[in-house]
């Protein structure tokens, strides 16, 4: 019994000294992008905002087809990096679909800025 207590104390001390923690469901840490579900509410809203910004900027009416990949990065605010298929409807013509990767920044005040919009061959 005494040996088991000593072993448990040793393991606890080891974990404490080495900084070992469980990795289950920790929130994203500042710095790196973390992949998130494409059905995430924040991602859906970021796509809407990005399409609205780009549509106003170019005077085109960008529409969403499919979201392929979504990532978030915690900085002083958040970056949303999303790869998706979009199209611009043209009356009387077939829609032409193309892939885009964008980065949308949301600052701590909740203001958005589209920092990247790039056509890509494939969404990786």
């Amino acid at each position: 019994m005494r040996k088991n207590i000593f072993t448990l104390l040793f393991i606890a001390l080891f974990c404490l000294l080495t900084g070992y923690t469980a990795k289950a469901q920790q929130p994203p840490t500042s710095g790196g992008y973390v992949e998130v579900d494409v059905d995430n509410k924040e991602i859906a809203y970021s796509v809407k905002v990005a399409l609205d910004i780009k549509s106003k900027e170019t005077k085109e009416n960008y529409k969403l087809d499919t979201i392929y990949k979504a990532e978030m990065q915690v900085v002083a605010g958040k970056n949303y990096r999303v790869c998706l298929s979009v199209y611009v409807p043209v009356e009387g013509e077939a829609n032409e679909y193309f892939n885009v990767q964008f980065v949308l920044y949301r600052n701590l005040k909740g203001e958005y800025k589209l920092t990247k919009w790039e056509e890509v061959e494939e969404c990786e």
Side-chain angles (χ1 to χ4, degrees):
M1 178 74 171
R2 187 173 186 167
K3 186 177 180 181
N4 289 342
I5 292 173
F6 179 74
T7 303
L8 287 174
L9 287 173
F10 177 77
I11 292 171
L13 181 61
F14 175 79
C15 291
L16 182 66
L17 292 175
T18 61
Y20 175 80
T21 58
K23 298 284 183 189
Q25 297 299 319
Q26 292 183 358
T29 57
S30 180
Y33 276 97
V34 176
E35 192 163 348
V36 295
D37 189 352
V38 296
D39 295 326
N40 180 294
K41 288 180 184 180
E42 282 184 79
I43 295 303
Y45 189 72
S46 73
V47 168
K48 178 190 177 323
V49 170
L51 293 178
D52 288 348
I53 290 171
K54 194 64 178 176
S55 292
K56 288 177 186 173
E57 191 178 279
T58 61
K59 302 203 183 335
E60 299 283 347
N61 189 15
Y62 287 92
K63 299 289 184 185
L64 172 65
D65 176 46
T66 306
I67 301 173
Y68 294 112
K69 184 175 182 179
E71 301 169 298
M72 284 193 294
Q73 179 186 38
V74 177
V75 289
K78 281 189 182 178
N79 281 320
Y80 302 94
R81 184 166 61 187
V82 181
C83 199
L84 65 164
S85 173
V86 297
Y87 64 98
V88 177
V90 178
E91 194 172 319
E93 295 184 27
N95 293 327
E96 185 176 328
Y97 297 86
F98 53 98
N99 295 330
V100 170
Q101 183 181 62
F102 73 78
V103 176
L104 182 71
Y105 170 67
R106 186 190 76 196
N107 67 21
L108 296 173
K109 295 179 181 178
E111 301 163 332
Y112 291 89
K113 180 178 181 183
L114 188 60
T115 59
K116 178 182 177 183
W117 177 277
E118 177 180 44
E119 287 189 41
V120 294
E121 287 293 318
E122 291 184 33
C123 292
E124 299 176 1

